């Protein structure tokens, strides 16, 4: 008999953002001004757990919902009790507040242990079912870290389940397709990427939900080891509004103009669109700076401003060494600083000036991902970024390469910018099993202790990285779009990695740094960093890392893998992609087909067809044409998106396109905020007209 522990979370409702939800001075979101709702993917998880219970044919299994949050988080538990949950547990305690994912996963795992012992009478046949990620954090780290704490399998990105031969078989999303897997044994964590059959509350259930008593536990009740701010491995340095899209987001109103724009965009010089953001990255270690008080690489603008006032004054007073600063000098500095900083802050800054050694030592590492003997493009992008970080820190760039028969890929990694390749070769690493990979990668990191470890934020690494970081007790920031080396001199932190990422569904940006960890770890969004031009003349070192892996380490049975087949040339000048908005295969064929033919004939350009995952799943075209996070990342001169909403997983794959043109019938389609030109209209109406106008 299987039981189900469903993890749910209360999040701010970002769909209801009004202007007064933003602080007029800082532009950041005031969370308390937004209503709270249950995280949408957790409603999928709840319905999915109910579905698992039904397909197992076992009516005795319990559904227990667990949340960690303030007392008002009780609302989301009542939501679940009003649908299908039998028992609800609220973990609430001020001491648990302000936690990052490490200090969230830890108490949740301890609460699961207590549920299993006290409510499930230590039965081992249970599944922890969660939404893939929460809307506020968007990290997808907590479920994998709970699995790590409990030493149980984690099956991520699940979309379906069947009950066969007395066990569950799960369909999950992987790069380039789908996979059918089963956990080697229960219990297991299952994270749900999508399950579109919601459960609705009935009047009778809602009454029952309101009458049921919710079990309430505090931090002391569960005896967790790492909780709250103190137990966290990361610290938010600043929160700020996201910059406007670098794309012009210009609406086009008539089809003739759309045709003209298309033709002109093909000729436009790509350089005018976007500058390489990475060019600005020029951190210099304090020891290498010409003057001892040059602290122009601080983590926040206000720290930079304060150090500039200090530096200007020291320069004016002709002070060359820190020992020359006496009480009289301090008074003069404070007089100059005015409102900016007071005595204690000045003392901190002066202490900070004495620290010149990097807070972390060791190499900068990238953990490589590969499929079918080819390195994932995102690994090369990360090496490009890591090269700059490595040069700033004056260390070596290492790449960790786990797999079977992987040595042949080492040259490409060295040509891309790596200095050393740490090869972990083992037959058990031939296919991606999170438990085996995390053991191998964590073992290698533990031995060589790099100061920075970067993973691409692919579905595979978004599962691997949280497990590795949790195992090594290191902080991890998910899905970064910016990585910089900076100082927080006042805190004595020199040469630390600032990790910037979008949060709250992209409504705010947060800059985060690691604390209490040996390595600073981050996953970085594909398509954002730039790869370097390969240099085949580069030479590097190969280091073979060996460890004992055995069949006992395997956590999953891979039953079937479905990957796209066929040929596609995404190096084309123009890619015309169709989404779910094409409605059916015939429309896709007719509309995308006719536009491709006309563009090829009239603009004399190389054209290829693309599609969103939703279009592929509906059979409009073969999977090999899928563009996006789990498809292919493309960078054509023009990307035309027809009937595609602009989900982040799709847009990640088109970020390097020079011009993006979108046609969508919904005037509020998210893609319109992330394209160069858009046209509001029905594709069935617009495309034939566009073809005529071309
Ligand atoms: C782990 C993971 C990985 C993923 N990887 C990918 C990936 O690689 N690639 C990818 O694409 N997705 C991926 N997804 C799925 C992604 O989240 C979205 O679900 C998907 O991109 C949506 O596809 P869509 O825009 O075609 O469909 P929808 O989001 O349903 O949008 C359809 C759009 O068509 C418009 N429309 C409807 N009718 C018309 C009409 N007649 N004319 C014009 N417009 C019309 C609608 O207004 C809507 O905006 C992934 C999801 C997960 C969880």
């Amino acid at each position: 008999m299987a039981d189900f522990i469903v993890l749910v979370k209360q999040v701010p409702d970002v769909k209801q953002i009004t202007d007064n939800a933003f602080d007029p001075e800082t532009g950041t979101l005031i969370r308390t001004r937004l209503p709270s709702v249950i995280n949408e993917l957790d409603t999928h998880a709840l319905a999915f757990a109910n579905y698992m219970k039904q397909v197992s044919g076992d009516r005795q299994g319990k559904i227990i919902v667990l949340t960690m949050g303030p007392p008002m988080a009780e609302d989301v538990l009542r939501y679940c009790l009003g649908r299908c949950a039998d028992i609800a547990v609220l973990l609430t305690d001020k001491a648990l507040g302000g936690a990052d994912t490490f200090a969230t996963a830890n108490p949740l795992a301890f609460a699961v242990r207590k549920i299993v012992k006290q409510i499930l009478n230590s039965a081992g046949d249970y599944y922890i079912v969660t939404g893939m990620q929460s809307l506020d954090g968007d990290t997808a780290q907590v479920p994998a870290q709970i699995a790590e704490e409990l030493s149980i399998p984690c099956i991520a990105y699940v979309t379906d389940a069947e009950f066969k031969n007395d066990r569950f078989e799960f369909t999950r999303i992987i790069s380039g397709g789908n996979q059918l897997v089963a956990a080697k044994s229960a219990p297991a964590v299952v994270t749900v990427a999508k399950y579109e059959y919601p459960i609705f509350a009935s009047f009778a259930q809602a009454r029952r939900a309101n009458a049921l008593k919710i079990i309430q536990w505090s931090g002391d009740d569960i005896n967790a080891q790492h909780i709250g701010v103190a137990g966290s491995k990361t610290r938010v340095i600043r929160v700020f509004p996201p910059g406007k899209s670098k794309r012009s987001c210009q609406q086009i109103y008539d089809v003739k103009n759309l045709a003209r724009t298309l033709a002109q965009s093909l000729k436009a010089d790509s350089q005018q669109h976007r500058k390489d953001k990475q060019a600005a990255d020029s951190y210099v270690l304090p020891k290498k700076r010409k003057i001892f008080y040059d602290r122009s690489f601080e983590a926040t603008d206000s720290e930079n401003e304060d150090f500039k006032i200090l530096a200007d004054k020291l320069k004016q007073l002709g002070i060359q060494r820190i020992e020359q600063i006496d009480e009289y000098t301090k008074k003069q500095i404070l007089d100059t600083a005015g409102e900016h900083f007071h005595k204690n802050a000045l003392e901190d800054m002066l202490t900070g000036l004495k620290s010149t050694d990097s807070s972390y030592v060791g190499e900068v590492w990238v953990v490589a991902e590969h499929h079918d003997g080819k390195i994932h493009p995102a690994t090369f992008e990360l090496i490009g970024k890591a090269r700059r970080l490595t040069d700033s820190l004056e260390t070596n760039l290492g790449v960790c390469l786990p797999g079977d028969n992987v040595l042949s890929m080492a040259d490409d990694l060295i040509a891309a910018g790596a200095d050393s390749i740490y090869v972990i070769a083992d037959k058990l690493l031939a296919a991606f099993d999170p438990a085996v990979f995390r053991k191998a990668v964590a073992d290698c990191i533990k031995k060589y202790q790099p100061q920075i470890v970067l993973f691409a934020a692919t579905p595979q690494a978004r599962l691997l990285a949280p497990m590795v970081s949790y195992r090594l007790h290191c902080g991890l920031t998910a899905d970064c779009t910016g990585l910089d080396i900076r100082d927080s001199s006042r805190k004595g932190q020199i040469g630390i990695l600032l990790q910037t990422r979008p949060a709250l569904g992209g409504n705010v940006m947060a800059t985060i740094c690691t604390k209490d960890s040996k390595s600073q770890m981050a996953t970085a969004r594909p398509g954002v960093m730039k790869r370097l031009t390969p240099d085949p003349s580069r030479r590097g070192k190969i280091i073979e890392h060996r460890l004992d892996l055995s069949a006992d380490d395997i956590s999953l049975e891979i039953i079937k893998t479905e990957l796209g087949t066929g040929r596609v040339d995404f190096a084309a000048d123009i890619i015309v992609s169709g989404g779910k908005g094409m409605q059916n295969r015939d429309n896709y064929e007719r509309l995308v087909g006719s536009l491709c033919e006309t563009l090829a004939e009239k603009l004399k350009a190389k054209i290829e067809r693309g599609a969103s995952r939703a279009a592929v799943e509906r059979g409009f075209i073969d999977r090999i044409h899928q563009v996006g996070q789990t498809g292919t990342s493309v960078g054509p001169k023009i990307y035309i998106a027809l009937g595609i909403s602009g989900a982040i997983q799709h847009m990640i794959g088109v970020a390097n396109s020079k011009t993006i043109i979108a046609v969508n019938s919904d005037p509020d389609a998210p893609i319109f905020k992330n394209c160069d030109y858009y046209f509001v209209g029905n594709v069935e109406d617009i495309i034939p007209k566009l073809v005529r106008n071309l």
Side-chain angles (χ1 to χ4, degrees):
M1 180 187 79
D3 296 297
F4 305 91
I5 301 172
V6 182
L7 304 185
V8 293
K9 188 175 181 196
Q10 195 174 44
V11 295
D13 186 359
V14 292
K15 286 190 191 133
Q16 294 193 43
I17 293 185
T18 50
D19 282 349
N20 80 345
F22 287 93
D23 182 321
E25 280 185 10
T26 60
T28 55
L29 201 63
I30 307 165
R31 278 178 77 149
T32 46
R33 295 227 175 117
L34 291 178
S36 294
V37 288
I38 182 168
N39 179 45
E40 194 182 335
L41 271 173
D42 297 346
T43 66
H44 292 222
L46 180 72
F48 194 78
N50 191 48
Y51 171 70
M52 284 175 72
K53 180 174 159 178
Q54 279 170 7
V55 294
S56 75
D58 178 2
R59 308 215 148 228
Q60 302 303 312
K62 290 188 196 63
I63 297 183
I64 300 157
V65 276
L66 166 66
T67 193
M68 180 172 111
M72 69 187 236
E74 195 181 306
D75 290 353
V76 297
L77 296 176
R78 299 239 176 256
Y79 172 100
C80 301
L81 289 170
R83 278 144 180 95
C84 60
D86 302 297
I87 298 169
V89 180
L90 172 64
L91 191 54
T92 188
D93 195 327
K94 279 214 167 75
L96 299 166
D100 69 352
T101 61
F102 182 82
T104 300
N106 188 268
L108 281 172
F110 276 77
V112 166
R113 285 195 179 109
K114 191 171 163 83
I115 288 174
V116 173
K117 194 167 169 206
Q118 294 191 350
I119 303 176
L120 302 180
N121 300 321
S122 301
D125 189 11
Y126 68 92
Y127 288 84
I128 301 170
V129 187
T130 78
M132 181 187 90
Q133 61 194 50
S134 68
L135 188 90
D136 51 349
D138 275 348
T139 67
Q141 286 173 193
V142 170
Q145 294 183 326
I146 291 175
E148 185 59 36
E149 170 62 41
L150 298 174
S151 302
I152 61 177
C154 182
I155 306 177
Y157 305 109
V158 167
T159 56
D160 202 0
E162 277 181 87
F163 193 73
K164 272 188 181 168
N165 308 324
D166 245 14
R167 66 171 188 177
F168 287 103
E169 293 181 0
F170 299 96
T171 304
R172 65 168 180 172
I173 294 176
I174 57 162
S175 282
N178 290 316
Q179 203 167 52
L180 190 66
V181 294
K184 221 169 112 192
S185 61
V189 173
V190 174
T191 77
V192 179
K194 186 177 68 179
Y195 183 69
E196 288 168 347
Y197 306 97
I199 313 179
F200 297 101
S202 69
F203 187 60
Q205 279 165 321
R207 275 178 59 153
R208 175 184 156 272
N210 285 332
L212 273 177
K213 190 167 165 10
I214 286 174
I215 299 170
Q216 200 163 311
W217 289 335
S218 69
D220 286 345
D221 291 326
I222 52 162
N223 277 326
Q225 294 159 331
H226 308 281
I227 61 165
V229 177
S232 295
K233 299 284 180 190
T234 54
R235 176 168 68 90
V236 177
I237 290 189
R238 63 183 188 129
V239 176
F240 56 101
K244 286 223 172 343
S245 164
K246 291 203 178 50
R247 300 193 180 268
S248 57
C249 308
Q250 219 173 302
Q251 184 169 3
I252 294 180
Y253 296 90
D254 76 275
V255 182
K256 212 180 239 174
N257 202 356
L258 182 62
R260 198 176 304 127
T261 304
L262 241 166
Q264 283 167 356
S265 299
L266 193 62
K267 291 185 210 140
D269 175 9
S270 63
Q271 294 309 314
Q272 77 195 38
H273 282 277
R274 265 162 297 284
K275 281 194 276 162
D276 181 355
K277 267 186 16 202
Q278 299 183 359
D281 201 12
S282 53
Y283 175 86
V284 180
L285 283 163
K287 277 182 186 164
K288 294 288 163 88
R289 296 177 204 163
K290 287 196 188 96
I291 22 185
F292 82 93
Y293 50 72
D294 174 5
R295 293 289 158 141
S296 42
F297 299 102
E298 292 299 306
T300 66
D301 289 347
S302 76
E303 283 174 351
N304 271 317
E305 226 174 284
D306 292 352
F307 271 106
K308 182 160 185 330
I309 293 169
L310 174 65
D312 287 348
K313 192 67 193 174
L314 291 176
K315 188 174 175 192
Q316 198 190 344
L317 296 171
I319 294 201
Q320 306 286 335
R321 284 173 296 112
I322 192 122
E323 300 79 45
Q324 289 174 273
I325 303 172
D326 55 15
E327 288 307 313
Y328 179 68
T329 318
K330 285 182 196 170
K331 190 173 170 315
Q332 282 183 304
I333 296 167
L334 287 174
D335 288 347
T336 310
E339 297 276 287
H340 271 277
F341 51 80
H342 300 288
K343 195 163 184 310
N344 288 351
L346 176 64
E347 290 298 340
D348 286 349
M349 286 158 71
L350 295 178
T351 313
L353 285 187
K354 290 179 194 152
S355 35
T356 52
D357 288 336
S358 297
S359 301
Y360 291 86
V361 286
E363 297 186 335
V364 174
W365 274 23
V366 170
V367 177
E369 182 168 332
H370 51 89
H371 299 276
D372 295 330
K374 277 206 200 113
I375 297 291
H376 194 292
T379 300
F380 290 126
E381 292 166 14
L382 272 187
I383 293 175
K385 181 71 193 181
R387 188 69 256 166
R388 288 177 188 274
L389 304 178
T390 307
D391 293 344
S392 298
L393 292 165
E394 304 190 348
T395 178
N396 276 326
L397 168 46
V399 172
C400 179
L401 180 59
D404 183 27
N405 281 327
V406 285
L407 207 55
S408 57
M409 289 179 267
D411 284 350
D412 285 350
L413 296 168
I414 293 168
D419 299 314
S420 313
I421 312 297
Y422 294 83
V423 175
I424 321 174
D426 197 297
K427 291 240 168 321
L428 289 175
L429 296 166
F432 177 68
D433 183 302
V436 190
F437 267 66
R438 65 92 158 88
K439 184 173 174 185
V441 173
D443 192 76
C444 193
I445 293 173
K446 197 170 170 192
K447 175 160 181 196
Y448 295 99
Q449 307 254 332
Q451 60 174 300
I452 292 175
V453 183
L454 305 176
F455 301 77
T458 58
Q460 179 171 311
R462 286 185 95 199
L463 176 58
L464 177 64
M467 289 179 132
V468 168
S469 64
Y470 193 93
R471 198 174 173 87
L472 297 173
H473 284 205
C474 291
L476 173 70
T477 304
D479 231 5
C480 294
T481 52
L483 295 168
D484 295 291
I485 303 295
R486 287 290 179 265
D487 304 325
S488 200
S489 299
R490 277 186 202 182
K491 294 195 167 65
Q493 295 178 329
I494 303 299
I496 53 170
L497 181 69
L498 290 199
Q499 306 140 41
T500 300
R501 63 180 303 263
L504 275 173
N507 287 295
V508 294
M509 300 296 289
T511 299
I512 292 164
C513 72
T514 310
K515 66 180 182 91
D516 304 335
S517 310
K518 287 215 166 106
S519 303
Q520 308 163 89
M521 299 192 179
T523 68
R525 196 173 270 184
V528 179
M529 318 292 171
K530 299 265 177 297
R531 65 183 289 175
L532 304 172
T533 309
D535 174 2
S537 69
R538 289 192 87 249
R539 293 288 162 261
K541 256 200 318 195
I542 308 279
I543 297 133
E544 287 189 43
H545 179 73
R546 294 185 197 285
L547 80 161
D548 280 338
L549 293 172
S550 77
D552 289 344
D553 294 314
I554 294 173
S555 65
L556 304 180
E557 183 191 333
I558 298 170
I559 302 160
K560 193 167 71 179
T561 303
E562 281 177 5
L563 294 174
T565 51
R567 281 177 64 83
V568 58
D569 180 13
F570 277 141
D573 301 312
I574 304 177
I575 296 174
V576 182
S577 270
K580 196 168 120 192
M582 304 306 292
Q583 315 291 349
N584 54 50
R585 192 180 172 104
D586 285 351
N587 272 0
Y588 181 99
E589 265 308 312
R590 187 166 52 82
L591 299 173
V592 174
S594 62
L595 184 55
C596 285
E597 271 171 33
T598 313
L599 286 169
E601 188 192 323
K602 300 291 177 191
L603 302 186
K604 308 275 177 271
K606 273 206 307 187
I607 318 285
E608 185 53 271
R609 295 175 188 205
S612 71
R613 184 162 186 121
V616 168
E617 278 170 357
R618 277 158 185 78
F620 299 176
I621 191 162
D622 294 340
R623 190 169 292 283
I624 188 89
H625 290 266
Q626 184 187 316
V627 169
Q629 189 185 36
T630 45
T632 306
S633 289
V634 297
K637 288 185 182 155
I638 306 178
Y639 184 77
I640 305 177
L642 306 175
I644 291 177
S645 60
I648 183 67
Q649 295 91 352
H650 188 82
M651 299 315 286
I652 280 173
V654 301
N656 285 330
S657 307
K658 272 143 209 153
T659 301
I660 298 179
I661 300 178
V663 178
N664 198 302
S665 53
D666 174 6
D668 295 321
I671 196 166
F672 291 163
K673 295 207 171 72
N674 206 355
C675 67
D676 297 280
Y677 304 100
Y678 68 92
F679 197 101
V680 181
N682 187 327
V683 282
E684 293 192 49
D685 177 32
I686 307 304
I687 303 308
K689 284 187 190 157
L690 178 61
V691 165
R692 280 200 297 278
N693 274 281
L694 278 165

